[in-house]
């Protein structure tokens, strides 16, 4: 076991870095789309059902199939990493979108009406009241999305996008369990670390109500 | 003849897809006086109060604050400046749980862009007017305060911009009787000195008589009684008599 990590140490490092890069880029895009879209949906509630429904549908497509389906798409098919990031963004979108929408929606109507009565503009209400109060719920969504991304990113190796999945796929193909573990263990550790780290931030953002 | 602080002119309200809540209410509240709005739950008293600061828009009729029609306010700036000229206190205090007592109290001033030293000076002043110690509480959060203290902070915040009009929606409804009596005393002292037009929603006739100059009773969306507070006990109006006898029954212990 240790032998495997010694032999592939340099490669594991490189692939971990690739894995992180795929995950972080996808999370960045997902947050850039999901947060504003989630806020928008709280203002236009009629859109919430179809939009969240669509994100839900993306979520249900098996990851290997999604990677495969995106392959023939122009501009995406030529670059495996780009394709993987787009697919991962799709997976990360739902938890972020849903939690942003639900988090802001759960702010008590009393507090939002007090915010209005104090003469806050819609923008001030969002920044000073709704986002701070919804912060930990939104972050819980980001946390779920990150863990999903780290997991799904291992499949990205199937289309040649790199990442720790590469070791796993190679291990499976050559019936080398050591190699599988060399990919799986760092991937699991990454997921655990992201979960713990973001969980800590989530706790910090939680607002004590009573 | 005192000038009019708040006026309702044939105000009706029917929520979208709902049944009628207020039917052609006409009332004029003299500036500097306190009016108590009584009625059962669902009689429309809170809805009427929330029309004054534009949280509810009447379906028909006009609401005026200092002779300015407020329910046709269209631009955000106008609505914002109207709201900042009106203090608003609610039962569940409406303090923001993620802000310290100092920031909660100073929030209206913060939104107005008042300088920091002025905010701090005024926050100290209004908290002390409401009977609280600024230095002891400034860094605390709402969950660390008792119900009575929170309600005092809510009142201090409403007074911070020295609004001419104060709206109070069952401000002491959630408090125990002793704290409630303390708060009523404190508020009465404040109102004597501050000369504000106050609209107080309550279901407690005792509180209304103690604090208000005038009593208005709403039932099923209509004004069924409107009289000076000192005439309440002698009034032949059946709605008023109902309230009075309910209170009298409580007093026979």
């Amino acid at each position: 076991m240790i032998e495997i990590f010694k032999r592939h140490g340099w490669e594991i490092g490189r692939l971990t870095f690739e894995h992180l890069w795929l995950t972080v880029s996808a999370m960045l895009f997902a947050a850039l789309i999901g947060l504003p879209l989630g806020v928008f949906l709280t203002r236009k509630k009629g859109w919430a059902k179809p939009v969240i429904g669509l994100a839900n549908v993306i979520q249900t497509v098996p990851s290997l199939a999604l990677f495969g389906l995106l392959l023939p798409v122009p501009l995406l098919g030529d670059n495996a990493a780009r394709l993987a990031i787009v697919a991962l963004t799709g997976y990360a979108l739902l938890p972020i979108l849903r939690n942003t929408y639900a988090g802001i929606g759960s702010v008590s109507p009393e507090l939002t009406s007090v915010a209005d009565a104090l003469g806050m503009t819609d923008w001030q209400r969002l920044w000073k009241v709704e986002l701070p109060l919804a912060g930990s719920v939104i972050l819980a969504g980001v946390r779920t999305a990150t863990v999903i991304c780290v997991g799904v990113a291992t499949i990205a190796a199937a289309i040649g996008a790199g990442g720790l999945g590469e070791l796993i796929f190679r291990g499976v193909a050559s019936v080398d369990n050591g190699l599988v573990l060399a990919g799986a263990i760092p991937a699991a550790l990454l997921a655990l670390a992201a979960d713990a780290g973001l969980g800590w931030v989530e706790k910090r953002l939680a607002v004590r109500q009573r | 003849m005192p000038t009019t602080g708040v006026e309702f002119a044939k105000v009706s309200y029917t929520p979208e897809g709902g049944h009628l809540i207020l039917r052609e209410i006409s009332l004029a509240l003299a500036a500097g006086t306190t009016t108590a709005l009584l009625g059962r739950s669902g009689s429309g008293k809170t809805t009427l109060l929330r029309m004054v600061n534009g949280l509810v828009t009447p379906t028909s009729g006009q609401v005026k604050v200092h002779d300015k029609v407020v329910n046709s306010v269209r631009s955000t700036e106008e609505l914002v400046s109207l709201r900042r000229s009106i203090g608003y206190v609610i039962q569940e205090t409406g303090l923001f749980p993620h802000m310290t007592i100092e920031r909660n109290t100073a929030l209206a001033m913060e939104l107005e862009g008042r300088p920091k030293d002025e905010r701090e000076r005024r926050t100290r002043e209004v908290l002390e007017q409401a009977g609280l110690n600024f230095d002891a509480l400034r860094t605390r959060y709402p969950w660390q305060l008792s119900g009575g203290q929170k309600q005092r902070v809510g009142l201090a915040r409403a007074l911070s911009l020295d609004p001419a009009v104060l709206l109070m929606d069952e401000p002491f409804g959630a408090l125990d009787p002793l704290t409630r009596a303390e708060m009523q005393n404190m508020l009465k002292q404040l109102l004597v000195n501050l000369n504000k037009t106050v609209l107080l929603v309550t279901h407690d006739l005792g509180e209304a008589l103690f604090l208000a100059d005038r009593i208005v009773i709403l039932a099923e969306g209509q004004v069924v009684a409107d009289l000076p507070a000192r005439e309440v006990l002698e009034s032949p109006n059946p709605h008023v008599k109902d309230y009075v006898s309910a209170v009298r029954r409580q007093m026979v212990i």
Side-chain angles (χ1 to χ4, degrees):
Chain A
M1 191 68 238
I2 294 164
E3 188 59 24
I4 296 257
F5 279 86
K6 258 188 202 152
R7 185 144 37 94
H8 297 279
W10 187 82
E11 203 182 5
I12 291 172
R14 180 180 64 84
L15 291 173
T16 304
F17 182 78
E18 261 180 30
H19 204 96
L20 268 175
W21 188 73
L22 290 176
T23 306
V24 170
S25 331
M27 282 305 300
L28 224 66
F29 284 118
L32 278 176
I33 301 168
L35 289 173
L37 190 57
V39 170
F40 170 81
L41 293 181
T42 63
R43 303 305 193 248
K44 296 254 182 277
K45 291 216 160 69
W47 292 52
K49 226 178 163 177
V51 172
I52 292 177
L54 181 71
N56 227 329
V57 169
I58 298 175
Q59 190 85 16
T60 57
V61 178
S63 42
L64 199 52
L66 187 61
F67 286 122
L69 286 171
L70 287 175
L71 265 178
V73 176
L75 283 173
L76 286 183
D78 345 325
N79 184 328
R82 199 188 295 159
L83 192 158
I85 290 170
V86 169
L88 290 174
T89 303
Y91 281 111
L93 205 53
L94 178 69
I96 296 181
L97 191 60
R98 199 179 41 201
N99 281 40
T100 304
Y101 180 71
I104 291 178
S106 69
V107 174
S108 101
E110 245 128 42
L111 289 183
T112 52
S113 86
V114 167
D116 289 340
L118 281 168
M120 285 193 195
T121 59
D122 195 46
W123 198 243
Q124 286 171 328
R125 192 177 90 188
L126 180 68
W127 284 102
K128 289 178 191 284
V129 177
E130 291 172 314
L131 286 179
L133 289 175
S136 73
V137 177
I138 295 174
L139 213 95
V142 172
R143 184 176 160 199
T144 310
T146 308
V147 174
I148 292 176
C149 259
V150 172
V152 175
T154 51
I155 313 286
I159 53 156
L164 289 161
E166 216 175 289
L167 291 172
I168 302 177
F169 277 105
R170 248 162 49 200
V172 170
S174 57
V175 203
D176 179 350
N177 278 343
L179 209 52
V180 172
L181 287 176
I185 291 173
L189 288 178
L190 271 186
L192 286 173
D195 192 47
L198 291 170
W200 180 79
V201 179
E202 187 188 321
K203 222 174 244 159
R204 293 291 309 252
L205 286 179
V207 174
R208 180 147 181 186
Q209 304 272 358
R210 65 188 83 247
Chain B
M1 188 66 194
T3 52
T4 305
V6 176
E7 187 180 350
F8 301 94
K10 293 197 163 181
V11 169
S12 297
Y13 181 66
T14 311
E16 228 171 290
H19 62 276
L20 188 122
I21 290 184
L22 294 170
R23 187 196 305 270
E24 300 211 339
I25 304 274
S26 292
L27 279 176
L29 317 182
T33 64
T34 299
T35 304
L37 208 50
L38 282 99
R40 290 173 194 271
S41 314
S43 59
K45 49 193 196 307
T46 293
T47 307
L48 192 64
L49 175 126
R50 288 162 65 99
M51 282 176 179
V52 180
N53 60 0
L55 291 177
V56 176
T57 306
T59 318
S60 65
Q62 287 186 326
V63 182
K64 295 181 199 169
V65 177
H66 297 126
D67 297 320
K68 191 170 175 292
V69 178
V70 298
N71 56 297
S72 59
V73 167
R74 286 278 172 264
S75 73
T76 318
E77 295 85 51
E78 266 185 291
L79 190 60
V80 161
S81 81
L82 165 77
R83 285 171 171 173
R84 290 184 191 163
S85 70
I86 296 173
Y88 182 55
V89 184
I90 60 171
Q91 179 175 334
E92 295 303 337
T93 75
L95 297 184
F96 296 107
H98 59 298
M99 295 181 187
T100 61
I101 297 308
E102 179 173 13
R103 180 136 189 252
N104 260 299
T105 314
L107 197 54
M109 293 184 279
E110 180 188 319
L111 296 171
E112 279 280 280
R114 301 283 170 90
K116 200 171 181 298
D117 51 338
E118 186 196 326
R119 281 189 337 232
E120 185 174 325
R121 186 185 54 73
R122 180 69 180 150
T123 303
R124 178 185 293 275
E125 191 174 79
V126 287
L127 282 175
E128 278 166 11
Q129 274 180 348
L132 294 171
N133 184 333
F134 172 77
D135 294 307
L137 295 180
R138 60 186 303 183
T139 58
R140 302 265 188 98
Y141 285 86
W143 64 269
Q144 297 171 298
L145 271 60
S146 71
Q149 285 176 317
K150 279 192 274 196
Q151 211 47 264
R152 288 173 194 263
V153 176
L155 181 62
R157 176 176 65 189
L159 294 173
S160 65
L161 287 177
D162 198 19
V165 177
L166 195 56
L167 305 175
M168 307 187 85
D169 191 353
E170 296 199 27
F172 313 134
L175 302 176
D176 66 82
L178 291 179
T179 309
R180 193 177 171 117
E182 263 172 45
M183 296 291 292
Q184 288 165 345
N185 278 322
M186 182 265 297
L187 181 62
K188 183 152 179 131
Q189 287 296 316
L190 268 179
L191 294 182
V192 168
N193 298 324
L194 292 178
N195 187 42
K196 302 209 177 292
T197 308
V198 181
L199 185 57
L200 168 76
V201 161
T202 176
H203 49 231
D204 178 351
L205 181 65
E207 177 171 289
L209 291 178
F210 181 67
L211 291 170
D213 307 297
R214 179 176 168 196
I215 308 290
V216 173
I217 301 179
L218 285 186
E220 284 158 20
Q222 285 178 295
V223 175
V224 294
D226 179 1
L227 68 172
R230 64 190 132 76
E231 291 171 18
V232 163
L233 295 178
E234 314 301 324
S235 170
N237 182 316
H239 292 276
V240 180
K241 280 172 120 171
D242 281 351
Y243 262 98
V244 173
S245 64
V247 174
R248 287 231 163 98
R249 207 173 316 133
Q250 276 179 10
M251 299 315 275
V252 184
I253 298 173

